[in-house]
Amino acid sequence: MTEGLRERKKRQTRQYISDVATGLFVERGFDAVTVAEIAAAADVSVNTVYNYFPAKEDLFFDRSAGVVDRLARWVRGRHQGESAAAAVLRELREEVEAVSPRVGLIPGYSAFMRVIEDAPALRSRLWAIGQEVQANLEGALREETGAAADDLMPELIAGQLGWVHSTVMAVIGREMVKARDPREVSREVLVLLDDMEDLLSERVLNYAVRGAE
């Protein structure tokens, strides 16, 4: 559908407020910046900020909606004859090989990560986002396989695939904090992904193959 003028202005306003807030957080730290200061810097009211972002943490993790269903989307979009694990590994490899900002491979990411490291509230929110990713993935696996409510396999498989994803993201974050070249980190993480795939059992690697009987 074509985006209307009203929707576009709202999206642009939301993005502008988030960008202003992120700049202040990077410059001064998350805890040192108030919502009132963000509103003043963005030339909007405090109520306007809260209309777009219910919590202060939302200003920093403004793109988390695209993250929490990432693994579930990859599983649902897997190819014919491809398992859930194969889809997740393929998508991760493609993102890492492309040196994608979506996995944190971007110059300046170190400043973003330092803000998180220095703010307990952001670390807690990041953990909560990880739990959402896991829950959405498990839900997708249950739907895709028709697993019964008391079947633990979707939960176990989600745990394994979540481990792969969270480890990759953690390693990228750790290395990018050192202000390293994203391309160099990309090459190392591709090797890590190969090692992690070798650690997964055949049962995990062959779970939820699309088109399988």
Coordinates of all heavy atoms in Angstrom, one line a residue, residues 69-125:
D69 N 11.2 -10.7 15.6 CA 10.6 -11.8 14.8 C 11.5 -12.2 13.7 O 11.1 -12.9 12.8 CB 9.3 -11.3 14.2 CG 9.4 -10.2 13.2 OD1 10.5 -9.5 13.2 OD2 8.4 -10.0 12.5
R70 N 12.8 -11.8 13.8 CA 13.8 -12.1 12.7 C 13.9 -13.6 12.5 O 13.8 -14.1 11.4 CB 15.1 -11.5 13.1 CG 16.3 -11.9 12.1 CD 17.6 -11.5 12.7 NE 17.8 -10.1 12.6 CZ 18.9 -9.4 13.1 NH1 19.7 -10.1 13.9 NH2 19.0 -8.1 12.9
L71 N 14.2 -14.4 13.5 CA 14.4 -15.8 13.4 C 13.1 -16.5 12.9 O 13.1 -17.5 12.1 CB 14.9 -16.5 14.7 CG 16.3 -15.9 15.2 CD1 16.8 -16.8 16.3 CD2 17.3 -15.9 14.1
A72 N 12.0 -16.1 13.5 CA 10.7 -16.7 13.1 C 10.4 -16.4 11.6 O 10.0 -17.3 10.9 CB 9.6 -16.1 13.9
R73 N 10.7 -15.2 11.1 CA 10.6 -14.9 9.7 C 11.4 -15.8 8.9 O 11.0 -16.3 7.8 CB 10.9 -13.4 9.4 CG 9.9 -12.4 9.9 CD 10.1 -11.1 9.1 NE 11.5 -10.7 9.0 CZ 12.2 -10.0 9.9 NH1 11.6 -9.6 11.0 NH2 13.5 -9.7 9.7
W74 N 12.7 -16.0 9.3 CA 13.6 -16.8 8.5 C 13.1 -18.3 8.4 O 13.2 -18.9 7.3 CB 15.0 -16.8 9.1 CG 15.7 -15.5 9.0 CD1 15.3 -14.4 8.2 CD2 16.9 -15.1 9.7 NE1 16.2 -13.4 8.4 CE2 17.2 -13.7 9.2 CE3 17.7 -15.7 10.6 CZ2 18.3 -13.0 9.7 CZ3 18.8 -15.0 11.0 CH2 19.1 -13.7 10.6
V75 N 12.6 -18.8 9.5 CA 12.1 -20.1 9.5 C 10.8 -20.2 8.6 O 10.7 -21.2 7.8 CB 11.7 -20.6 11.0 CG1 10.9 -21.9 10.9 CG2 13.0 -20.8 11.7
R76 N 9.9 -19.3 8.7 CA 8.7 -19.3 7.9 C 9.0 -19.2 6.4 O 8.3 -19.6 5.6 CB 7.7 -18.3 8.4 CG 7.1 -18.6 9.7 CD 5.9 -17.6 10.0 NE 5.2 -18.0 11.3 CZ 5.4 -17.4 12.4 NH1 6.2 -16.3 12.5 NH2 4.8 -17.8 13.5
G77 N 10.1 -18.5 6.1 CA 10.5 -18.2 4.7 C 11.5 -19.2 4.2 O 12.0 -19.0 3.1
R78 N 11.7 -20.3 4.9 CA 12.7 -21.3 4.4 C 12.3 -21.9 3.1 O 11.2 -21.9 2.7 CB 13.0 -22.4 5.4 CG 11.8 -23.3 5.7 CD 12.0 -24.1 7.0 NE 11.0 -25.1 7.2 CZ 9.8 -24.8 7.6 NH1 9.4 -23.6 7.8 NH2 8.9 -25.8 7.9
H79 N 13.3 -22.3 2.3 CA 13.1 -22.8 1.0 C 12.6 -24.3 1.0 O 12.6 -24.9 2.1 CB 14.5 -22.9 0.2 CG 15.0 -21.5 0.0 ND1 16.4 -21.3 -0.2 CD2 14.5 -20.3 0.1 CE1 16.6 -20.0 -0.3 NE2 15.5 -19.3 -0.1
Q80 N 12.1 -24.7 -0.1 CA 11.6 -26.1 -0.2 C 12.8 -27.0 0.0 O 13.9 -26.8 -0.5 CB 11.1 -26.3 -1.6 CG 10.3 -27.6 -1.8 CD 8.9 -27.5 -1.2 OE1 8.4 -26.5 -0.8 NE2 8.3 -28.7 -1.0
G81 N 12.6 -28.0 0.9 CA 13.7 -29.0 1.2 C 14.7 -28.4 2.2 O 15.6 -29.1 2.5
E82 N 14.4 -27.2 2.8 CA 15.4 -26.6 3.7 C 14.8 -26.7 5.1 O 13.6 -26.5 5.4 CB 15.6 -25.1 3.4 CG 16.7 -24.4 4.2 CD 16.9 -23.0 3.7 OE1 15.9 -22.3 3.4 OE2 18.1 -22.7 3.5
S83 N 15.7 -27.1 6.1 CA 15.3 -27.2 7.5 C 15.3 -25.8 8.1 O 15.8 -24.8 7.6 CB 16.2 -28.1 8.2 OG 17.5 -27.5 8.4
A84 N 14.7 -25.8 9.3 CA 14.7 -24.5 10.1 C 16.1 -24.1 10.4 O 16.5 -22.9 10.2 CB 13.9 -24.7 11.4
A85 N 17.0 -25.0 10.8 CA 18.4 -24.6 11.1 C 19.1 -24.2 9.9 O 19.9 -23.2 10.0 CB 19.1 -25.8 11.8
A86 N 18.9 -24.8 8.8 CA 19.6 -24.5 7.5 C 19.2 -23.0 7.1 O 20.0 -22.3 6.6 CB 19.3 -25.5 6.4
A87 N 17.9 -22.7 7.3 CA 17.4 -21.4 6.9 C 18.1 -20.3 7.8 O 18.5 -19.3 7.3 CB 15.9 -21.3 7.1
V88 N 18.1 -20.6 9.1 CA 18.7 -19.6 10.0 C 20.2 -19.4 9.7 O 20.7 -18.3 9.7 CB 18.5 -20.0 11.5 CG1 19.4 -19.2 12.5 CG2 17.0 -19.9 11.9
L89 N 20.9 -20.5 9.5 CA 22.3 -20.4 9.2 C 22.6 -19.7 7.9 O 23.5 -18.9 7.8 CB 22.9 -21.9 9.2 CG 23.1 -22.5 10.5 CD1 23.3 -24.0 10.3 CD2 24.2 -21.9 11.3
R90 N 21.8 -20.0 6.9 CA 21.9 -19.4 5.6 C 21.7 -17.8 5.7 O 22.5 -17.0 5.2 CB 20.9 -20.0 4.6 CG 20.9 -19.2 3.2 CD 19.9 -19.9 2.3 NE 18.6 -20.0 2.8 CZ 17.7 -19.1 2.9 NH1 18.0 -17.8 2.5 NH2 16.5 -19.3 3.4
E91 N 20.6 -17.5 6.4 CA 20.3 -16.0 6.5 C 21.4 -15.3 7.3 O 21.8 -14.2 6.9 CB 18.9 -15.9 7.2 CG 17.8 -16.4 6.4 CD 17.3 -15.4 5.4 OE1 18.0 -14.3 5.2 OE2 16.2 -15.6 4.7
L92 N 21.9 -15.9 8.4 CA 22.9 -15.3 9.2 C 24.2 -15.1 8.3 O 24.8 -14.1 8.4 CB 23.2 -16.1 10.4 CG 22.5 -15.7 11.7 CD1 22.9 -16.7 12.8 CD2 22.8 -14.3 12.1
R93 N 24.5 -16.2 7.6 CA 25.7 -16.1 6.8 C 25.6 -15.0 5.7 O 26.6 -14.2 5.5 CB 26.0 -17.4 6.1 CG 26.6 -18.5 7.0 CD 27.2 -19.6 6.1 NE 27.8 -20.6 7.0 CZ 27.2 -21.7 7.4 NH1 26.0 -22.0 7.1 NH2 27.9 -22.6 8.2
E94 N 24.4 -14.9 5.1 CA 24.3 -13.8 4.1 C 24.4 -12.4 4.7 O 25.0 -11.5 4.1 CB 22.9 -14.0 3.5 CG 22.8 -15.2 2.5 CD 21.4 -15.4 2.0 OE1 20.5 -14.6 2.3 OE2 21.2 -16.4 1.2
E95 N 23.8 -12.2 5.9 CA 23.9 -10.9 6.6 C 25.4 -10.6 6.9 O 25.9 -9.5 6.8 CB 23.1 -10.9 7.9 CG 21.6 -11.1 7.6 CD 20.9 -9.7 7.3 OE1 21.7 -8.8 7.0 OE2 19.7 -9.6 7.5
V96 N 26.1 -11.6 7.5 CA 27.5 -11.4 7.9 C 28.4 -11.2 6.7 O 29.2 -10.3 6.7 CB 28.0 -12.6 8.8 CG1 29.5 -12.5 9.0 CG2 27.2 -12.7 10.1
E97 N 28.2 -12.0 5.7 CA 29.0 -11.9 4.5 C 28.8 -10.6 3.8 O 29.7 -10.0 3.2 CB 28.7 -13.0 3.5 CG 29.7 -13.2 2.3 CD 29.5 -14.5 1.6 OE1 28.5 -15.1 1.7 OE2 30.4 -14.8 0.8
A98 N 27.6 -10.0 3.9 CA 27.3 -8.7 3.3 C 27.8 -7.6 4.1 O 27.6 -6.4 3.7 CB 25.8 -8.6 3.0
V99 N 28.4 -7.9 5.3 CA 28.8 -6.9 6.2 C 27.6 -5.9 6.5 O 27.7 -4.7 6.4 CB 30.0 -6.1 5.7 CG1 30.7 -5.3 6.9 CG2 31.1 -7.0 5.1
S100 N 26.5 -6.5 6.9 CA 25.3 -5.8 7.1 C 25.2 -5.1 8.4 O 25.5 -5.6 9.5 CB 24.1 -6.8 7.0 OG 22.9 -6.1 7.3
P101 N 24.7 -3.8 8.4 CA 24.4 -3.1 9.6 C 23.4 -3.8 10.5 O 23.3 -3.6 11.7 CB 23.9 -1.7 9.1 CG 24.4 -1.6 7.7 CD 24.4 -3.0 7.2
R102 N 22.5 -4.6 9.9 CA 21.5 -5.3 10.7 C 22.1 -6.3 11.7 O 21.4 -6.6 12.6 CB 20.5 -6.0 9.7 CG 19.6 -5.1 8.9 CD 18.6 -5.9 8.1 NE 19.2 -6.7 7.1 CZ 19.4 -6.3 5.8 NH1 19.0 -5.1 5.5 NH2 19.9 -7.1 4.9
V103 N 23.3 -6.7 11.5 CA 23.9 -7.5 12.5 C 25.1 -6.8 13.3 O 25.9 -7.4 13.9 CB 24.5 -8.9 11.9 CG1 23.3 -9.8 11.5 CG2 25.4 -8.6 10.7
G104 N 25.1 -5.5 13.1 CA 26.0 -4.7 13.9 C 27.4 -4.4 13.2 O 28.3 -3.9 13.8
L105 N 27.5 -4.9 11.9 CA 28.7 -4.7 11.2 C 28.7 -3.4 10.5 O 28.5 -3.2 9.3 CB 28.9 -5.9 10.2 CG 29.2 -7.2 10.9 CD1 29.1 -8.3 9.9 CD2 30.6 -7.2 11.5
I106 N 29.0 -2.3 11.3 CA 28.9 -1.0 10.8 C 29.9 -0.1 11.5 O 30.0 -0.2 12.8 CB 27.5 -0.4 10.9 CG1 27.4 1.0 10.3 CG2 27.0 -0.4 12.3 CD1 25.9 1.5 10.3
P107 N 30.6 0.8 10.9 CA 31.5 1.7 11.6 C 30.7 2.5 12.6 O 29.6 3.0 12.3 CB 32.1 2.6 10.5 CG 32.0 1.7 9.2 CD 30.7 1.0 9.4
G108 N 31.3 2.7 13.8 CA 30.6 3.5 14.8 C 29.8 2.7 15.7 O 29.2 3.2 16.7
Y109 N 29.6 1.4 15.4 CA 28.8 0.5 16.3 C 29.3 0.4 17.7 O 28.6 0.2 18.6 CB 28.7 -0.9 15.6 CG 27.6 -1.7 16.2 CD1 26.3 -1.4 16.1 CD2 27.9 -2.9 16.9 CE1 25.3 -2.2 16.7 CE2 26.9 -3.7 17.4 CZ 25.6 -3.4 17.3 OH 24.6 -4.2 17.8
S110 N 30.6 0.6 17.8 CA 31.3 0.6 19.1 C 30.6 1.6 20.1 O 30.4 1.3 21.3 CB 32.8 0.8 19.0 OG 33.0 2.1 18.4
A111 N 30.3 2.8 19.6 CA 29.7 3.8 20.5 C 28.3 3.4 20.9 O 28.0 3.6 22.1 CB 29.6 5.1 19.7
F112 N 27.6 2.7 20.0 CA 26.3 2.2 20.3 C 26.3 1.2 21.4 O 25.6 1.2 22.4 CB 25.6 1.6 19.1 CG 24.2 1.1 19.2 CD1 23.2 2.0 19.1 CD2 24.0 -0.2 19.5 CE1 21.8 1.5 19.2 CE2 22.7 -0.7 19.6 CZ 21.6 0.2 19.4
M113 N 27.3 0.2 21.3 CA 27.4 -0.9 22.3 C 27.9 -0.3 23.6 O 27.5 -0.9 24.7 CB 28.4 -1.9 21.7 CG 27.9 -2.7 20.6 SD 26.4 -3.6 20.9 CE 26.9 -4.6 22.3
R114 N 28.7 0.7 23.6 CA 29.2 1.2 24.9 C 28.1 1.8 25.7 O 28.1 1.8 26.9 CB 30.3 2.3 24.7 CG 31.6 1.6 24.2 CD 32.8 2.6 24.3 NE 34.0 2.0 23.8 CZ 34.5 2.2 22.5 NH1 33.8 3.0 21.7 NH2 35.6 1.6 22.1
V115 N 27.1 2.5 25.0 CA 26.0 3.0 25.7 C 25.2 1.9 26.4 O 24.8 2.1 27.6 CB 25.0 3.7 24.7 CG1 23.8 4.2 25.4 CG2 25.7 4.9 24.1
I116 N 25.0 0.8 25.8 CA 24.4 -0.4 26.4 C 25.1 -0.9 27.6 O 24.6 -1.2 28.6 CB 24.1 -1.5 25.3 CG1 23.2 -1.0 24.2 CG2 23.6 -2.8 26.0 CD1 23.1 -2.0 23.0
E117 N 26.4 -1.1 27.4 CA 27.3 -1.6 28.5 C 27.2 -0.8 29.7 O 27.3 -1.3 30.8 CB 28.7 -1.7 28.0 CG 28.9 -2.8 27.0 CD 30.4 -3.0 26.6 OE1 31.2 -2.1 27.0 OE2 30.7 -4.0 25.9
D118 N 27.0 0.6 29.6 CA 27.1 1.5 30.7 C 25.7 1.7 31.3 O 25.6 2.4 32.3 CB 27.6 2.8 30.3 CG 29.1 2.8 29.9 OD1 29.8 1.8 30.3 OD2 29.6 3.6 29.2
A119 N 24.6 1.1 30.8 CA 23.3 1.4 31.2 C 22.6 0.0 31.6 O 22.2 -0.7 30.7 CB 22.5 2.1 30.2
P120 N 22.4 -0.3 32.9 CA 21.7 -1.5 33.3 C 20.3 -1.6 32.7 O 19.9 -2.7 32.3 CB 21.6 -1.3 34.8 CG 22.8 -0.5 35.2 CD 22.9 0.5 34.1
A121 N 19.6 -0.5 32.5 CA 18.2 -0.6 31.9 C 18.3 -1.0 30.5 O 17.4 -1.8 30.1 CB 17.6 0.8 32.0
L122 N 19.3 -0.6 29.8 CA 19.4 -1.1 28.4 C 19.8 -2.5 28.3 O 19.4 -3.3 27.4 CB 20.4 -0.2 27.6 CG 19.9 1.3 27.4 CD1 21.0 2.0 26.6 CD2 18.6 1.3 26.7
R123 N 20.7 -3.0 29.2 CA 21.1 -4.4 29.2 C 19.9 -5.2 29.5 O 19.7 -6.3 28.9 CB 22.2 -4.6 30.2 CG 23.5 -3.9 29.9 CD 24.7 -4.5 30.6 NE 24.6 -4.5 32.0 CZ 25.0 -3.4 32.8 NH1 25.5 -2.4 32.3 NH2 24.8 -3.5 34.1
S124 N 19.0 -4.8 30.4 CA 17.8 -5.5 30.8 C 16.9 -5.6 29.6 O 16.3 -6.7 29.3 CB 17.1 -4.9 32.0 OG 17.9 -5.0 33.1
R125 N 16.7 -4.5 28.9 CA 15.9 -4.5 27.7 C 16.4 -5.4 26.6 O 15.7 -6.1 25.9 CB 15.7 -3.1 27.2 CG 14.9 -2.9 25.9 CD 13.5 -3.5 26.0 NE 12.7 -2.7 26.8 CZ 12.0 -1.7 26.4 NH1 12.0 -1.3 25.2 NH2 11.2 -1.0 27.3

